Amino acid sequence: MNENTKFQLAFLLFLAASSYLISPAAANLVLNRVDRRVDLTSQIVRIASSLKVENAGTDDVSEILFSLSTEHAEKVAFLQAVLVEGKSKSKSKSTAVILTVTPGSSDGRVMLFSVALPKPLKGGDSLSLETYVVLTHVLKPFPEEIGQSDAQLVLFHESAYFLSPYPVKVQSTTFKLPSSRVESYSKVGVTKLVDSEVRYGPYENVEALATAPITLHFENNQPFAVVEELVREIEISHWGNIYVTENYKLSHGGARHKGSFSRFDYQSRPAQSGAASFRHLLARLPPHAHSVYYRDEIGNISTSHLRSDFKKTELELEPRYPLFGGWKVTFTLGYSVPLEDFMFKSSDGRRFLNITFGSSFGHVVVDNLIVKVVLPEGSTQPTISVPFAVEQDKEIKHTYLDTVGRPVVVLTKKNAVPEHHNIFFQVYYRFNSIAMLAEPLLLVTGFFAFFVLCIAYVHFDFPISKSSASFQAQVQREELVDLVQRLQKVMGIQGEAADRLEASLRDVARSGDTAPCKVARKTADATWKETSKDLKALSESFHLSARSSFVLPKVEVLLQKEKEMVEKLQQKQVATVEAYERKLSSKDIDARIAPLQSKYSTLKQEVRDLIYALDD
Amino acid sequence: MDVMGGIHGGLQADLVTAIGSPIPQTLYPFLAVLLLIAGLVLTASFFIYEATSAKFSRKLSQEFATGGISSLFLGFGTLFLLLWTGVYV
């Protein structure tokens, strides 16, 4: 199709009732010229026809009928009609809609589709139309079974005349074959075989719905790679990634393999052996695709090569064994792409995924293509925009850190061809970014539950009997430990006060100023007074406590020593202040303080030892 | 059929904006390490407190506070660890 120079417009194709066959509108149209080019170079048959339609009547015509034989109509994978208006430049881009095919002809032989025109064709006017039909599974291997060294021959049945509900004035058809090796071809009037092309026509004044069946028998060694089922899962994570997983059930749809398979022949004489088989597949992945893997049920398949540049990522992979006719292989291909390449926000606040629909492989037919779009948890109102007919379904998927599950949009397309693979489709949905916090909060809740469990464990008692001796002992022990800790705390406060006072005494020795020392003394005295009450209470508790007998002597000694220590420190302070106020010589001061100091130091050490001893 | 890609691949760029991760993905390793270290240190302090304090003097509020903050750190730290390792949740 030469779209470049022509104006294109879109059409909806409708299924037409058979009554159109005899409708007056149909009778008035005449096809002045039909050029048909049939591409048979691969496993897929592509028929491109350019039609010059003239309205020979006087009434306006708003739709044009387009027909296919029922045999072919069942195998239609893709159907498109493009209006070519004059020779002006492109004004708008066309969109194509593929319709669901159901037989609807009057005699079960012909099926009609109708092409709605954007504006009616007036009487006497003419227009140019291009139709494009893609058929799958119409090339029949003959012979049906071949050995390893045989070439694959296929049959193709068509009509030499363009099948149309309108009379055709001039028409010609060209069949393009993959090689010049043609076993046979039917001859209808003017028929020529030129190199690898078979040309039929021109034929003049062919009646409506006239056929001239022809059969082409030729060599076609192209890989007949048929994916019986492809499940393509696209999982969106708003944390910045899209996972694509493609599960393939691949088979060779050509002539079945007969006899044994010799890997030696296959590898030593690749030109003659297994010409119709294939061992490589080339997947075209999006740019920035990363974390690509290729595996099957057994594990990783290492025979793959990945090349990437800024425009695309290419993955060449080899199945575990070369595929001959009828052989099958299953594998999984997966990769990740960055979210920002495919995820967009539309002007109405909805988010949408814009990604290609079909398989990554260029030349495969997919019999059953299932695309699953796994939306993030918390997304609502998914709507799909696909430019051709698909079955829609919904499910829920549970994966990592999910609570209510993720909504999944399931799209099923039968008979998908490479024409579908590059088509982008959109899934619109509403999503609040706060919902992204659901996953971390689930983790936080999990950890918190663990902490709560730990807290509960240490707080609750799990005795068989609350009155048992061991439990009572345990409780008493706990009480005692608590008392000791409280005692140690109070001791700590007292000790700190003592340390501060001592520090201020050293300052006096350095500066000779006794005022700050007096202040320090006052605060220390206050602290001691306060804490002495606590100590008294604690000491009483120790006496009351049932199991304190073995710590009680230690505690008493400690309290005693502590008291002495405080007294000594107070004496020392008084002596020091007095000495400095009387401005005695440093020798005298030292002489006065030294005994006090040594006593205080020993007491302090003893107290400290006792506090530590209590821990045991 | 190159035209097909052109028709449906072309989005009107002025109407839409691309959406990426709310936090730059290059920060994931840093955040994972930072939050997990903070979380583990707090967890350690929680258990030290549980083990050393006497049964009658333990403060429930302090236990819940330490536990709660450390579970926050650990939860987000684990999330970024998962994202860093390629498990996009």
Side-chain angles (χ1 to χ4, degrees):
Chain A
M1 296 217 287
N2 303 322
E3 289 97 341
N4 294 347
T5 55
K6 296 166 186 172
F7 173 57
Q8 306 155 357
L9 258 178
F11 306 101
L12 281 169
L13 297 174
F14 295 106
L15 177 69
S18 53
S19 59
Y20 279 115
L21 269 175
I22 46 157
S23 72
N28 288 334
L29 290 175
V30 175
L31 301 182
N32 280 338
R33 181 167 184 86
V34 175
D35 284 313
R36 193 159 50 130
R37 295 171 307 283
V38 184
D39 182 355
L40 300 172
T41 53
S42 67
Q43 59 165 330
I44 299 161
V45 177
R46 295 180 169 93
I47 308 170
S49 321
S50 60
L51 296 80
K52 293 240 168 5
V53 188
E54 191 189 329
N55 187 353
T58 48
D59 297 334
D60 289 1
V61 177
S62 57
E63 57 183 5
I64 296 172
L65 297 179
F66 173 72
S67 59
L68 283 175
S69 70
T70 321
E71 189 192 336
H72 283 175
E74 284 166 1
K75 305 290 173 66
V76 169
F78 188 83
L79 193 57
Q80 192 187 29
V82 177
L83 179 70
V84 186
E85 213 168 63
K87 289 197 164 52
S88 61
K89 293 230 172 83
S90 237
K91 273 189 200 160
S92 65
K93 292 272 180 182
S94 69
T95 50
V97 174
I98 298 167
L99 65 165
T100 334
V101 180
T102 42
S105 67
S106 55
D107 55 0
R109 193 172 61 91
V110 177
M111 181 156 159
L112 292 174
F113 307 94
S114 103
V115 178
L117 293 176
K119 57 182 182 192
L121 184 66
K122 292 196 182 88
D125 282 4
S126 63
L127 57 81
S128 294
L129 194 67
E130 298 215 331
T131 61
Y132 184 69
V133 181
V134 178
L135 306 171
T136 56
H137 301 294
V138 285
L139 295 178
K140 294 279 170 252
F142 187 81
E144 286 182 356
E145 290 188 339
I146 54 169
Q148 189 176 345
S149 56
D150 300 332
Q152 181 173 260
L153 298 168
V154 293
L155 284 175
F156 180 59
H157 303 286
E158 238 300 27
S159 163
Y161 299 151
F162 180 73
L163 188 66
S164 167
Y166 313 114
V168 186
K169 279 187 181 163
V170 181
Q171 62 169 301
S172 64
T173 304
T174 307
F175 292 92
K176 196 170 186 311
L177 308 177
S179 71
S180 53
R181 192 186 158 195
V182 181
E183 287 286 303
S184 70
Y185 60 96
S186 314
K187 290 189 173 66
V188 178
V190 192
T191 310
K192 273 187 286 184
L193 171 65
V194 182
D195 203 11
S196 62
E197 282 190 352
V198 186
R199 290 175 191 160
Y200 287 87
Y203 305 115
E204 289 181 6
N205 296 325
V206 177
E207 280 172 36
L209 292 169
T211 55
I214 54 165
T215 302
L216 298 165
H217 192 200
F218 57 95
E219 185 180 308
N220 188 341
N221 283 326
Q222 296 302 307
F224 276 43
V226 178
V227 180
E228 290 172 359
E229 188 180 76
L230 165 59
V231 181
R232 201 162 178 258
E233 193 179 86
I234 301 161
E235 192 180 315
I236 301 163
S237 164
H238 275 299
W239 289 104
N241 194 63
I242 295 173
Y243 289 114
V244 182
T245 315
E246 298 179 349
N247 292 299
Y248 285 90
K249 275 182 198 159
L250 181 71
S251 70
H252 189 300
R256 282 199 304 283
H257 182 68
K258 182 175 70 178
S260 61
F261 167 62
S262 160
R263 193 173 269 279
F264 176 73
D265 285 347
Y266 185 73
Q267 275 173 323
S268 62
R269 289 194 291 279
Q272 294 116 47
S273 183
S277 70
F278 60 91
R279 60 194 298 185
H280 299 287
L281 284 168
L282 186 71
R284 221 182 130 124
L285 310 180
H288 308 133
H290 61 94
S291 314
V292 181
Y293 62 89
Y294 165 48
R295 62 169 170 79
D296 62 7
E297 288 92 339
I298 307 169
N300 178 51
I301 309 168
S302 57
T303 45
S304 62
H305 308 280
L306 187 73
R307 297 182 289 271
S308 59
D309 58 33
F310 64 97
K311 269 164 102 179
K312 61 182 187 302
T313 310
E314 275 183 346
L315 177 70
E316 188 186 271
L317 42 86
E318 278 181 46
R320 287 192 189 270
Y321 41 85
L323 282 187
F324 279 82
W327 291 11
K328 294 177 185 188
V329 70
T330 58
F331 60 88
T332 302
L333 169 66
Y335 55 91
S336 294
V337 282
L339 183 73
E340 54 268 31
D341 287 6
F342 297 98
M343 179 59 62
F344 303 93
K345 194 166 205 161
S346 66
S347 48
D348 63 352
R350 287 188 302 171
R351 295 175 184 221
F352 68 95
L353 174 79
N354 182 50
I355 202 165
T356 50
F357 188 82
S359 157
S360 307
F361 296 107
H363 303 288
V364 298
V365 171
V366 185
D367 288 345
N368 196 13
L369 172 59
I370 299 164
V371 178
K372 294 183 177 183
V373 182
V374 184
L375 300 174
E377 207 173 25
S379 33
T380 51
Q381 306 167 17
T383 49
I384 301 114
S385 159
V386 189
F388 44 82
V390 288
E391 279 173 44
Q392 280 187 30
D393 205 357
K394 272 176 195 166
E395 41 182 71
I396 296 283
K397 188 191 173 182
H398 288 270
T399 167
Y400 305 111
L401 302 179
D402 281 348
T403 47
V404 292
R406 305 180 185 207
V408 184
V409 176
V410 185
L411 306 174
T412 311
K413 170 90 186 84
K414 304 264 186 232
N415 211 0
V417 285
E419 273 77 0
H420 297 117
H421 294 350
N422 292 326
I423 293 180
F424 281 78
F425 75 107
Q426 292 83 36
V427 180
Y428 291 86
Y429 60 95
R430 290 201 180 277
F431 182 78
N432 192 340
S433 295
I434 300 216
M436 285 171 72
L437 287 176
E439 285 120 358
L441 288 180
L442 190 71
L443 285 168
V444 169
T445 315
F447 281 112
F448 191 65
F450 168 71
F451 283 113
V452 169
L453 217 71
C454 290
I455 292 170
Y457 177 74
V458 296
H459 275 263
F460 293 131
D461 304 308
F462 304 100
I464 295 167
S465 157
K466 291 231 172 192
S467 55
S468 76
S470 66
F471 177 66
Q472 291 298 332
Q474 174 83 14
V475 171
Q476 284 162 7
R477 217 187 77 80
E478 292 281 353
E479 275 171 3
L480 196 60
V481 168
D482 183 43
L483 280 176
V484 169
Q485 280 187 354
R486 272 157 66 194
L487 181 69
Q488 281 173 340
K489 207 173 164 189
V490 174
M491 286 294 172
I493 293 167
Q494 290 204 340
E496 263 173 43
D499 285 346
R500 269 201 295 277
L501 185 58
E502 226 192 323
S504 72
L505 282 178
R506 277 198 296 276
D507 280 346
V508 171
R510 216 179 320 111
S511 62
D513 185 8
T514 54
C517 180
K518 280 180 179 164
V519 176
R521 168 74 195 267
K522 253 177 203 163
T523 46
D525 279 350
T527 315
W528 283 321
K529 211 172 188 179
E530 268 175 45
T531 49
S532 66
K533 272 187 226 154
D534 293 339
L535 278 182
K536 214 173 216 170
L538 276 171
S539 137
E540 273 164 21
S541 310
F542 270 106
H543 282 286
L544 287 173
S545 179
R547 285 169 60 86
S548 65
S549 54
F550 69 99
V551 280
L552 200 54
K554 281 187 194 169
V555 172
E556 276 172 349
V557 172
L558 172 66
L559 290 174
Q560 181 75 31
K561 296 274 180 196
E562 165 76 14
K563 217 172 183 179
E564 274 178 43
M565 183 192 92
V566 169
E567 275 166 13
K568 282 281 175 277
L569 188 60
Q570 280 166 342
Q571 283 171 20
K572 181 187 164 190
Q573 191 265 344
V574 170
T576 311
V577 170
E578 203 183 70
Y580 275 94
E581 274 172 353
R582 282 202 270 151
K583 296 205 168 80
L584 290 173
S585 72
S586 59
K587 232 182 197 174
D588 285 343
I589 295 172
D590 282 347
R592 275 160 176 258
I593 295 171
L596 287 170
Q597 175 65 39
S598 68
K599 265 184 197 160
Y600 169 69
S601 295
T602 44
L603 279 169
K604 194 178 169 183
Q605 191 56 48
E606 277 176 74
V607 167
R608 204 168 280 168
D609 291 346
L610 280 167
I611 290 173
Y612 283 126
L614 272 178
D615 276 341
D616 307 329
Chain B
M1 289 310 289
D2 288 344
V3 66
M4 293 310 298
I7 294 163
H8 304 290
L11 283 161
Q12 286 151 307
D14 52 344
L15 288 177
V16 298
T17 45
I19 297 176
S21 171
I23 295 162
Q25 288 180 35
T26 45
L27 282 181
Y28 287 169
F30 170 71
L31 283 171
V33 170
L34 190 80
L35 294 173
L36 281 177
I37 287 176
L40 289 173
V41 166
L42 277 167
T43 309
S45 79
F46 172 84
F47 283 108
I48 289 169
Y49 183 72
E50 290 294 320
T52 54
S53 63
K55 188 167 180 158
F56 295 97
S57 62
R58 247 182 241 132
K59 282 200 202 85
L60 207 60
S61 58
Q62 191 182 333
E63 286 170 295
F64 274 109
T66 332
I69 295 166
S70 41
S71 53
L72 262 176
F73 279 120
L74 284 179
F76 278 89
T78 312
L79 172 84
F80 288 115
L81 182 70
L82 285 172
L83 296 174
W84 177 21
T85 51
V87 182
Y88 282 86
V89 291

